[in-house]
């Protein structure tokens, strides 16, 4: 049946809560309203206010209390209403969420999930279209996941909730309405595995989250130019499945990484740097980065000129082929 | 070694010194005083302009909602029902004072004299803040809740350091008051006796979350005591009380008396924003109840009773309101997006080599788009 | 359009409805009640073990300072003068309750039953937290101030959700109370009626910053009213008052009555840490004054008066304290650093391929170092 | 005369405050105490409590109020007591400090400086040895500076205070006692310029902040092996002077970047990725990264096994030469 990414996420939460009564969902407006994107729709009605509840407007408080809940033995799944509003929680995330297991010599793990709708393309006002993945990916102790398809949205969220370590779960909000023909529950490769979405020979396009769709679109259009692109979906930003990326890049000899976030010191730099190092000698061209510009996210009316699209990807492929 | 203490409490020592403790309890009830009446010293002229601003604000708000439905704006956060709180507070400011509004406070920003079309750029998506903050001394409307309270406090600290007799007023909501920044702002304002006024519009909701689930306290104003600053709680739908109380706070701040926290009890009549579906979390009856306390109707009633306005004046205001609404429609409909390349121009005072190069890339993309 | 309001206040409307405002003022004085006496129900046995813990804590603290001077510890944050606040509060907890201490609360952690040598690993630099938090239900001592208050609140929320009759107690300081997290924790605890007790040790200083410059309020306890939770202010150097008040709060929390904020007025006799030079910001006289209110001396005085202890018992405690101090010296002096490779082992539940590779690199570096 | 980096910073603040009465210094314990590292020692005594004052313990408050002060027309220079305690201010820094000029269409610039003692090697407890530069460098709108020498400490801090845009000023705390023979005031290349500290031909070592000293030490030791290393001091992490780096790397044909921060998605990834792309064809080996491990900063007793040192750099040089 047809499932949207939003529907898959909602079902994943419901199934996880039914399967394990230690799973607790909370955040701003996730209860009665079902979340501003309705990802938690119906959970409070079905599982009760003790399992899914609203919070005051206090992100540090939401994440900080989730740490205590996880210490107690629950599996909190909290929502940051938008990417830009996860920043007030950064101190709790960097100073504690990522460090607690290590600090306590392995005795206190924190099985919690922080869900963050992220990225642009929905015509929102400032602070509602941020791509903060680099901040999280650079923070040791965190597991950072971002699904690019409805199936992965379900499978990876279920896996994240069952994960023994804290997961930053980045939901590509502009793809919430992306549809797929699925029967839920669906399984998928585990956290920590990248997946080749399309095999090809001309060049490797590495993407994640919202850009997976864009990369596949570019690959389809590339055929007109006689280019056969391989598309790799990163899925887990940290820990990164570098081997799958290097294997693909070594095979095609050309690779680029695409993301919405600003380029400078962005997540793509890690992929470009590590692939360049490990595939050195197999690369006919440098690893290129196709990204948003090094500026604050622009106003809605001009955001499409910020966001990487198939054209920008294909321009980069053309440059890859000039080497 | 701690358990025995908790259990057996037998054989308590008979010696008084070993059987006695002492402490002070905090009695919240004690803190919130009775409702006290205060005089208002507005001339009929001023009362009229206060009404005029509220009436124009109401029309502007309705028009913004319409323009959103018609697609001229992407989204809009209505202040319907909060005109008294926003306009009344701003009315107490002097020309050189500063205002630090939030996304909710378009009407307060309008009352400050900022052009409504420029204000709405935030919601049309043409630019984050289109007006010049230094022209009317109004900061960009903040989206991350409560963050602006610290900016207002800092500006007020600076004014005090420079012996500049101005004040800063900031608006935030009952939900925003739960953020840590609210506490840090009020506490620092108290420490430095900064001339800043914190006006909390308690409109009973933070999107879908009602006030009683936002905090366990009966009044946000009580937080003033925790930071050692004056606190006031009032009917935010009574524009004269809002004006007069803010005026007291403004005068105190200006004369070196430090900050004040004012909780204005009001009600958000519309949905959180045009994108919100309030039927999911509150009944029409509840909203209907709220409408009954309409601050504009209420003020108009008193003005009529007091003979401060006549039909001629009201007609004048109506006409002005309609003209304003028409201008909004004309200016915001199909307003062209600005040059996308501008997105690079204000990141730094001077364009960096990186941004110059990226700007050139975007230029190429745009060229390619017109003639592939 | 706003200025005319501020200026000319002539010709005020004669109509009452247009010349009248009303509001409620917050009267901080009203909130803080009088000092009230309460009975304490500790048996002589319990009074003795309370004293014993305080006396051992005092010795442990002094020894830790010495060990720092001698280089066995890198730094230490002394609690000298705060034994009553820390030990008295912990004494009111049951076995299944949780404690969330800060870097300052080594003595409270010790009173909870955690081995002092393991506690001091934090300061010797052998590991961030060497003790098992689940053994005595004590969280690692938090270094980023106030962050632990939210962890305690979350754990208490979880206990309430699971109908588990336990409470969480967290310590933080007068400076820490200025952080946004303090407000978010108390407000959320109020909303969910979480069984958590916030014990603020107001020791008058945040490193060099005196309490009067930390906030403009006379009492941090007043913040309880702002979150709608019970608040208590007491003499933190009177161990019986600390114990009894915390006990009241613990019992209330355990029976579903929600959180309590307790401000324990005390004094930090030593420098902020062994690395701090307090002569830069306070006089010896001030510290001497503080010493006069020594909580241990004071309690001992009452115990003697009440005949609850005799020289034999005191000698016993002294001996135990000396033995403890000796064990600290023996265990901490030249304690070998652990295996550096362990730094990779607890980052994730299972070692990632990346970390396995990096662990191997470190292994090589270490091999190369022994035989280049 | 002999000047330590701490002394140079203190003099820079004093000279800036004397030269411009809109410069205001504040933070936790910076007044009477003179800061826990004494960088603000004597400023309150000389310039008064209105020019240098203590704050409550509230980092978001410190940075948030600095924004308002800068809007007013002052030039606030605030101190975050330690790297790990700059995180509570991240929301204000990411959401406002970096975005305000752009948000206001260029009308409201924020000439403020956020000083942060950063990095490890001083035997401190947890949260006192963080290297957060990647978080700041990835944030558009910020200028990120880190001196590696006493002279730069003075010149770059003066330049940062005069800068029209907000500067994150990262002070390598373990080098506070690093000495140099200097006459203050001293001038140096402006913000935005990298500097070649040592010319060489074998390979390029790119460093900044605390690692500049380490890189130079490695270069000296490298001579024993007959290696002639070129050492480039980045100085300004953002905007980065990539040309100077690419020129050096293209010349030597081999390059590595060194920093204390964790490697994964760290700042070094940006340098490695961009140098790999721009110097492609001139590089005989991939750009290597010599960094801390991908773990939370370890306890003091074993921190030396985390921190990059001359040995780790020389191992990497040897690997560079194997290609
Ligand atoms: C830091 C932050 N967190 C979350 C949000 C998302 N959000 C937008 S409005 C809102 C509710 C705010 O309620 P309140 O403060 O009462 O203001 P009101 O909208 O009622 O005027 C929330 C949670 C935000 N804008 N900023
Ligand atoms: C978030 C954070 N900011 C700053 C610091 C640095 N710091 C350590 S102790 C301290 C003062 C805390 O004072 P207080 O809360 O009164 O506790 P006390 O040390 O007096 O027990 C500061 C500012 C910190 N540890 N955490
Ligand atoms: Mg509200
Ligand atoms: Mg203190």
């Amino acid at each position: 049946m047809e499932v949207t990414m939003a529907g898959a996420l909602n079902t994943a939460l419901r199934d996880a809560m039914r399967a394990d009564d230690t799973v607790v969902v909370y955040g701003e407006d996730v209860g009665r309203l079902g979340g501003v994107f309705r990802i938690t729709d119906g959970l409070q009605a079905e599982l009760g206010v003790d399992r899914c509840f609203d919070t005051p407007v206090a992100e540090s408080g939401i994440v900080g209390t989730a740490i205590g809940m996880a210490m107690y033995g629950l599996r909190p799944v909290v929502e940051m209403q938008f990417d830009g509003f996860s920043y007030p929680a950064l101190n709790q995330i960097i100073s504690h969420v990522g460090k607690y297991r290590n600090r306590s010599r392995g005795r206190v793990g924190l099985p919690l999930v922080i869900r963050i709708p992220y990225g642009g393309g929905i015509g929102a006002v400032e602070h509602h279209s941020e791509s903060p993945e680099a901040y999280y990916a650079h923070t040791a102790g965190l597991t950072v996941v971002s699904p690019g398809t409805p199936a992965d949205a379900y499978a990876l969220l279920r896996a994240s909730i069952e994960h023994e370590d804290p997961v930053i779960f980045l939901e590509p909000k502009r793809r919430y309405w992306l549809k797929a023909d699925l029967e839920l529950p669906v399984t998928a490769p585990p956290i920590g595995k990248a997946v080749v979405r399309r095999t090809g020979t001309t060049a490797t396009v590495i993407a994640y989250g919202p850009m997976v769709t864009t990369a596949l679109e570019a690959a389809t259009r590339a055929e007109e130019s006689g280019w056969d692109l391989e598309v790799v979906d990163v899925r887990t930003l940290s820990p990164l499945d570098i081997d799958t990326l290097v294997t693909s890049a070594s095979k095609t000899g050309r690779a680029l990484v695409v993301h919405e976030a600003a380029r400078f010191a962005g997540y793509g730099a890690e992929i470009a740097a590590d692939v360049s190092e490990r595939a050195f000698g197999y690369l006919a061209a440098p690893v290129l980065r196709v990204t948003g510009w090094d500026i604050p996210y622009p106003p809605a009316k001009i955001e499409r000129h910020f966001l990487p699209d198939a054209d920008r990807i294909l321009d980069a492929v053309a440059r890859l082929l000039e080497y | 070694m701690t358990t025995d203490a908790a259990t057996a409490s037998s054989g308590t020592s008979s010696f008084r010194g070993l059987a006695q403790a002492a402490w002070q309890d905090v009695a919240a009830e004690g803190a919130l005083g009775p409702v006290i009446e205060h005089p208002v010293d507005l001339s009929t002229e001023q009362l009229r302009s206060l009404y005029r601003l509220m009436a124009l604000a109401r029309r502007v708000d309705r028009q913004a909602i319409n323009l959103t439905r018609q697609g001229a704006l992407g989204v809009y956060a209505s202040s319907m029902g909060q005109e008294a709180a926003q306009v009344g507070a701003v009315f107490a400011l002097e020309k050189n004072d500063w205002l630090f509004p939030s996304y909710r406070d378009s009407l307060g920003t309008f009352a400050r004299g900022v052009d409504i079309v420029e204000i709405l750029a935030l919601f049309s998506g043409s630019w984050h803040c289109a007006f010049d903050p230094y022209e009317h001394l109004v900061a960009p409307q903040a989206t991350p809740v409560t963050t602006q309270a610290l900016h207002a406090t800092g500006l007020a600290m600076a004014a005090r350091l420079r012996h500049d007799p101005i004040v800063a007023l900031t608006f935030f909501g009952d939900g925003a008051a739960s953020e840590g920044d609210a506490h840090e702002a009020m506490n620092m304002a108290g420490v430095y006796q900064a001339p800043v006024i914190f006006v909390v519009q308690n409109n009973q909701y933070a999107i879908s979350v009602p006030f009683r689930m936002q905090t366990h306290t009966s009044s946000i104003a009580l937080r003033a005591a925790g930071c050692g600053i004056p606190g006031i709680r009032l009917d935010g739908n009574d524009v004269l009380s809002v004006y007069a109380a803010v005026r007291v706070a403004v005068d105190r701040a200006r004369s070196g008396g430090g900050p004040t926290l004012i909780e204005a009890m009001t009600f958000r009549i519309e949905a959180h924003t045009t994108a919100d579906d309030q039927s999911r979390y509150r009944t029409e009856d509840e909203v209907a109840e709220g409408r009954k306390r309409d601050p504009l109707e209420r003020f108009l009633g008193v003005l009529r009773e007091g003979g401060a306005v006549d039909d001629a004046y009201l007609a004048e205001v109506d006409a002005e309101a309609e003209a304003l609404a028409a201008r909004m429609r004309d200016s915001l409909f199909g307003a062209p997006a600005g040059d996308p390349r501008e997105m690079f121009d204000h990141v730094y005072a001077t364009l960096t080599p990186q941004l110059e190069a990226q700007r050139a890339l975007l230029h190429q993309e745009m060229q390619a788009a017109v003639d592939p």
Side-chain angles (χ1 to χ4, degrees), chain B residues 341-368:
Chain B
R341 281 160 290 226
E342 186 183 352
M343 67 173 76
F344 293 97
D345 300 347
H346 313 300
V347 182
Y348 294 99
T350 52
L351 201 62
T352 64
Q354 279 93 331
L355 293 186
E356 206 167 338
Q358 293 183 8
R359 197 182 197 283
L361 285 176
L362 173 56
H363 179 73
Q364 282 171 28
E365 289 185 355
M366 291 169 66
Q367 294 304 315

Coordinates of all heavy atoms in Angstrom, one line a residue, chain B residues 341-368:
Chain B
R341 N 20.7 36.6 -5.8 CA 22.1 36.8 -5.5 C 22.3 37.7 -4.3 O 23.4 37.6 -3.7 CB 22.8 37.5 -6.7 CG 23.1 36.5 -7.9 CD 23.3 37.3 -9.2 NE 22.0 37.8 -9.6 CZ 21.6 37.7 -10.9 NH1 22.3 37.1 -11.8 NH2 20.4 38.2 -11.2
E342 N 21.3 38.4 -3.9 CA 21.4 39.2 -2.7 C 21.7 38.3 -1.4 O 22.2 38.8 -0.4 CB 20.2 40.0 -2.4 CG 20.3 41.0 -1.2 CD 19.1 41.8 -0.9 OE1 18.1 41.7 -1.7 OE2 19.1 42.5 0.1
M343 N 21.4 37.0 -1.5 CA 21.6 36.1 -0.4 C 23.0 36.1 0.1 O 23.3 35.7 1.2 CB 21.0 34.7 -0.6 CG 21.7 33.9 -1.6 SD 21.1 32.2 -1.7 CE 19.5 32.4 -2.6
F344 N 23.9 36.5 -0.8 CA 25.4 36.5 -0.4 C 25.8 37.9 0.2 O 26.9 38.0 0.8 CB 26.2 36.3 -1.6 CG 26.0 34.9 -2.2 CD1 25.2 34.6 -3.2 CD2 26.7 33.8 -1.6 CE1 25.0 33.3 -3.7 CE2 26.6 32.5 -2.1 CZ 25.7 32.3 -3.1
D345 N 25.0 38.9 0.0 CA 25.5 40.3 0.2 C 25.6 40.8 1.6 O 26.3 41.7 1.9 CB 24.7 41.2 -0.7 CG 24.8 40.9 -2.2 OD1 25.7 40.1 -2.5 OD2 24.0 41.4 -2.9
H346 N 24.9 40.1 2.5 CA 24.8 40.6 3.9 C 25.3 39.7 4.9 O 25.1 39.9 6.1 CB 23.4 41.0 4.2 CG 22.7 41.8 3.2 ND1 23.1 43.0 2.8 CD2 21.6 41.5 2.4 CE1 22.3 43.4 1.8 NE2 21.3 42.5 1.6
V347 N 26.0 38.6 4.5 CA 26.5 37.7 5.4 C 27.7 38.3 6.3 O 27.7 38.1 7.5 CB 27.0 36.4 4.7 CG1 27.5 35.4 5.7 CG2 25.9 35.8 3.9
Y348 N 28.5 39.0 5.6 CA 29.6 39.7 6.3 C 29.6 41.2 5.8 O 29.0 41.5 4.7 CB 31.0 39.1 5.9 CG 31.2 37.7 6.5 CD1 31.0 36.6 5.7 CD2 31.5 37.5 7.8 CE1 31.1 35.3 6.1 CE2 31.6 36.2 8.3 CZ 31.5 35.1 7.5 OH 31.6 33.8 8.0
A349 N 30.3 42.0 6.5 CA 30.3 43.4 6.1 C 30.9 43.5 4.7 O 30.5 44.4 3.9 CB 31.2 44.2 7.1
T350 N 31.9 42.7 4.4 CA 32.5 42.7 3.1 C 32.4 41.3 2.5 O 32.7 40.3 3.3 CB 33.9 43.2 3.1 OG1 34.7 42.4 4.0 CG2 34.0 44.7 3.4
L351 N 32.1 41.1 1.3 CA 32.0 39.8 0.7 C 33.3 39.1 0.7 O 34.3 39.6 0.4 CB 31.5 40.0 -0.8 CG 30.9 38.8 -1.5 CD1 29.6 38.4 -0.9 CD2 30.6 39.2 -3.0
T352 N 33.3 37.8 1.3 CA 34.6 37.1 1.3 C 34.9 36.5 0.0 O 34.0 36.3 -0.8 CB 34.5 36.0 2.4 OG1 33.5 35.0 1.9 CG2 34.0 36.5 3.7
P353 N 36.1 36.1 -0.3 CA 36.5 35.5 -1.6 C 35.6 34.3 -1.8 O 35.1 34.1 -2.9 CB 37.9 35.1 -1.4 CG 38.4 36.1 -0.4 CD 37.3 36.3 0.6
Q354 N 35.4 33.5 -0.8 CA 34.6 32.3 -0.9 C 33.2 32.6 -1.4 O 32.7 32.1 -2.4 CB 34.4 31.5 0.4 CG 35.5 30.6 0.8 CD 36.5 31.4 1.7 OE1 36.6 32.6 1.6 NE2 37.1 30.6 2.6
L355 N 32.6 33.6 -0.8 CA 31.2 34.0 -1.1 C 31.1 34.6 -2.5 O 30.2 34.4 -3.2 CB 30.6 34.9 0.0 CG 30.4 34.2 1.3 CD1 29.6 35.1 2.3 CD2 29.6 32.9 1.1
E356 N 32.2 35.4 -2.8 CA 32.2 36.0 -4.2 C 32.2 34.9 -5.2 O 31.4 34.9 -6.2 CB 33.5 36.8 -4.3 CG 33.4 37.9 -5.3 CD 34.5 38.9 -5.2 OE1 35.1 39.0 -4.1 OE2 34.8 39.6 -6.2
A357 N 33.0 33.8 -5.0 CA 33.0 32.7 -5.9 C 31.7 32.0 -6.0 O 31.2 31.7 -7.0 CB 34.1 31.7 -5.5
Q358 N 31.1 31.8 -4.8 CA 29.8 31.1 -4.8 C 28.7 31.9 -5.4 O 27.8 31.4 -6.1 CB 29.4 30.7 -3.4 CG 30.4 29.7 -2.8 CD 30.0 29.2 -1.4 OE1 28.9 29.6 -0.8 NE2 30.8 28.4 -0.7
R359 N 28.8 33.2 -5.2 CA 27.8 34.2 -5.8 C 27.9 34.0 -7.4 O 26.9 34.0 -8.1 CB 28.2 35.6 -5.4 CG 27.0 36.6 -5.6 CD 27.5 38.0 -5.2 NE 26.4 38.9 -5.0 CZ 25.7 39.5 -6.0 NH1 26.1 39.2 -7.2 NH2 24.8 40.4 -5.7
A360 N 29.2 33.9 -7.8 CA 29.4 33.8 -9.3 C 28.8 32.5 -9.8 O 28.2 32.4 -10.9 CB 30.9 33.8 -9.6
L361 N 28.9 31.4 -9.0 CA 28.3 30.1 -9.4 C 26.8 30.2 -9.5 O 26.2 29.8 -10.5 CB 28.7 29.0 -8.4 CG 30.1 28.5 -8.4 CD1 30.3 27.5 -7.3 CD2 30.4 27.8 -9.7
L362 N 26.2 30.9 -8.5 CA 24.8 31.1 -8.6 C 24.4 31.9 -9.8 O 23.4 31.6 -10.5 CB 24.2 31.7 -7.3 CG 22.7 32.1 -7.3 CD1 21.9 30.9 -7.6 CD2 22.3 32.8 -6.0
H363 N 25.2 32.9 -10.1 CA 24.9 33.7 -11.3 C 24.9 32.8 -12.5 O 24.0 32.9 -13.3 CB 26.0 34.8 -11.4 CG 25.8 35.7 -12.6 ND1 24.9 36.6 -12.7 CD2 26.5 35.7 -13.8 CE1 24.9 37.2 -13.8 NE2 25.9 36.7 -14.5
Q364 N 25.9 32.0 -12.6 CA 26.0 31.0 -13.8 C 24.7 30.2 -13.8 O 24.1 30.0 -14.9 CB 27.2 30.1 -13.7 CG 28.5 30.8 -14.0 CD 29.7 29.9 -13.7 OE1 29.5 28.6 -13.7 NE2 30.8 30.4 -13.4
E365 N 24.3 29.6 -12.7 CA 23.1 28.8 -12.6 C 21.9 29.5 -13.1 O 21.1 29.0 -13.9 CB 22.9 28.3 -11.2 CG 23.8 27.3 -10.7 CD 23.5 26.7 -9.3 OE1 22.5 27.2 -8.7 OE2 24.2 25.8 -8.8
M366 N 21.8 30.8 -12.7 CA 20.6 31.6 -13.1 C 20.7 31.9 -14.6 O 19.7 31.8 -15.3 CB 20.6 32.8 -12.3 CG 20.2 32.5 -10.8 SD 20.4 34.0 -9.8 CE 19.1 35.0 -10.4
Q367 N 21.9 32.1 -15.1 CA 22.0 32.4 -16.6 C 21.6 31.1 -17.3 O 20.8 31.1 -18.3 CB 23.5 32.7 -16.9 CG 24.0 34.0 -16.3 CD 23.1 35.2 -16.8 OE1 22.7 35.3 -17.9 NE2 22.6 36.0 -15.8
A368 N 22.2 30.0 -16.9 CA 21.9 28.7 -17.6 C 20.4 28.4 -17.6 O 19.8 27.9 -18.5 CB 22.6 27.6 -16.9

